[in-house]
Structure formats: structure tokens, C-alpha cells
Amino acid sequence: MANNNEKMSREEAGRKGGETTAKNHDKEFYQEIGQKGGEATSENHDKEFYQEIGQKGGEATSENHDKEFYQEIGQKGGEATSDSHGKEFYQEIGEKGGEARANQRDGNGSSDGSNDGKMSREEAGRKGGEKSRR
């Protein structure tokens, strides 16, 4: 759309320029400039910057999506993880989770060190990890 002076608007000029650039460059070009932009941004911003934009993005996403969206992406993520990791991965994360939970509970004074014949939390985590991959 042209304005009264028969000049292109900024929006139209930007759109046309983008279309021309897209015709003249391939995927690798965009990957390269994206990487350069990411590197420049990381040099100019600190951890707090990324935390803030991450929080804003998370809030915007939660405002725009419902429970089913999160269930679907969780399912896809779980399937992708399952496809790319073996039994040992699940054993390791199960054991780490069990140890972290035990340390968390022990830090609160809820365990006196005796297990009364029960399985340790670490062992339960390891076994849970083994079970999830069977």
C-alpha cells in the first residue's frame, strides 16, 4: 500500500525486502545469521536477561494454551526421550531422583538412619528407574 506521496510504507518495504531475501538465500544462510545473532546476544546480556525473557515466554505460553496442550507436548517429549535413551539412562535418573529425595528428607530430620527392614530410598529410586524401561 502506497502513502499519499506514492512511496511505499515501511511495512510494505519490509515485507518486500523479506520476500526478496527469502528468494535469494537458503536454510543454511538463515541458520548462520541466527547463530551469529545468538552469539552476539549472549555476549551482550547476562543470566538475568535470559531468566526474564524465559519467564515472560512461559507466562505468555500458559496464557495462550490449555491443559491439553501441555499434555500433548509432554507426551511427545516423553516419547522422544524414550526413543533416544536406553535402560541405563532411566536407571541413572531414577537413582539420582531417589538420592535427591532421600537427601531432601534427611535434611528435614525425617530419617534417623534406620530403615526398619525397608528398602532405602536410593534403592527404590534405582529399582523404579529399572522398572520404567521394562
Side-chain angles (χ1 to χ4, degrees), residues 77-86 90 133:
E79 290 171 0
T81 301
S82 176
D83 290 346
S84 63
H85 292 85
Y90 290 97
R133 287 301 291 168

Side-chain angles (χ1 to χ4, degrees), residues 72-114:
E72 183 180 332
I73 64 171
Q75 178 79 29
K76 288 179 180 179
E79 290 171 0
T81 301
S82 176
D83 290 346
S84 63
H85 292 85
K87 178 179 177 181
E88 295 78 19
F89 170 78
Y90 290 97
Q91 289 173 337
E92 183 179 336
I93 64 171
E95 189 170 338
K96 286 181 180 179
E99 290 171 0
R101 184 68 176 133
N103 291 337
Q104 184 182 46
R105 287 183 171 257
D106 291 344
N108 293 331
S110 63
S111 175
D112 62 3
S114 65

